[in-house]
Amino acid sequence: MARDWTDLICSNIPLARAMQIGTELVDDGRVRLTAPLAPNVNDKGTGFGGSVATLATVAGWIEVQRQLAAADIDTSVEIVIQRGETRYLVPVTSDFSALVEPVDEASVDRFVRMFQKRGMARLSLSAEVLCQGLSCASFQGEYVVTRASAS
């Protein structure tokens, strides 16, 4: 059964609804996040930097979710971004998207093993934000996953 990534994002990250974030599956299983320019525009008529950074950050969050699901790790985890850096290359002038770069297998294996052993793991990801086929921003982030506390 395919996962409804858009619903997962919007039910966990309220800002995603205001940004009108959508999702598209890529052939290799990754998830491309999309956002229209209109609700994410700044005073210059281009993409608001906070929206650009948020789209890339959420793309990383989804990639972590996807890697956990692929490893059959249940969803009772907490995922947070520990560090994120966005480099703005050119203005976003139309609808835009973010896609995490493929993660090397060794990094994913180390991430999964660490989580299974210690209940906490980190995964570093890179993403690109595109607009009209042009790279507008690059993102580097480190995500931390822990077992969810019972409440």
Side-chain angles (χ1 to χ4, degrees):
M1 180 171 104
R3 190 141 192 203
D4 185 342
W5 297 110
T6 303
D7 183 59
L8 180 68
I9 293 167
C10 290
S11 64
N12 285 279
I13 304 171
L15 177 59
R17 281 189 290 279
M19 288 178 61
Q20 299 176 19
I21 292 177
T23 59
E24 301 171 350
L25 287 178
V26 177
D27 289 340
D28 64 5
R30 289 177 296 150
V31 181
R32 175 182 293 114
L33 271 57
T34 61
L37 180 62
N40 296 292
V41 72
N42 63 20
D43 60 324
K44 312 281 185 290
T46 60
F48 174 61
S51 294
V52 172
T54 297
L55 193 68
T57 302
V58 175
W61 183 80
I62 283 295
E63 183 61 20
V64 173
Q65 293 275 359
R66 197 176 75 80
Q67 294 297 339
L68 290 169
D72 289 324
I73 295 174
D74 70 17
T75 56
S76 57
V77 298
E78 298 290 337
I79 302 169
V80 297
I81 184 158
Q82 182 177 46
R83 178 192 55 77
E85 181 180 346
T86 305
R87 289 187 61 233
Y88 301 94
L89 307 172
V90 297
V92 170
T93 58
S94 65
D95 296 351
F96 55 107
S97 65
L99 182 63
V100 171
E101 299 295 326
V103 185
D104 69 273
E105 198 171 312
S107 294
V108 173
D109 288 345
R110 189 170 41 255
F111 166 72
V112 170
R113 278 195 322 273
M114 185 63 70
F115 182 79
Q116 290 170 332
K117 182 177 182 178
R118 304 220 170 145
M120 184 189 89
R122 287 179 174 76
L123 186 61
S124 294
L125 299 171
S126 299
E128 182 176 35
V129 177
L130 296 166
C131 160
Q132 297 180 338
L134 183 66
S135 181
C136 296
S138 63
F139 172 80
Q140 302 281 320
E142 186 169 286
Y143 295 80
V144 176
V145 179
T146 58
R147 288 193 178 96
S149 58
S151 25

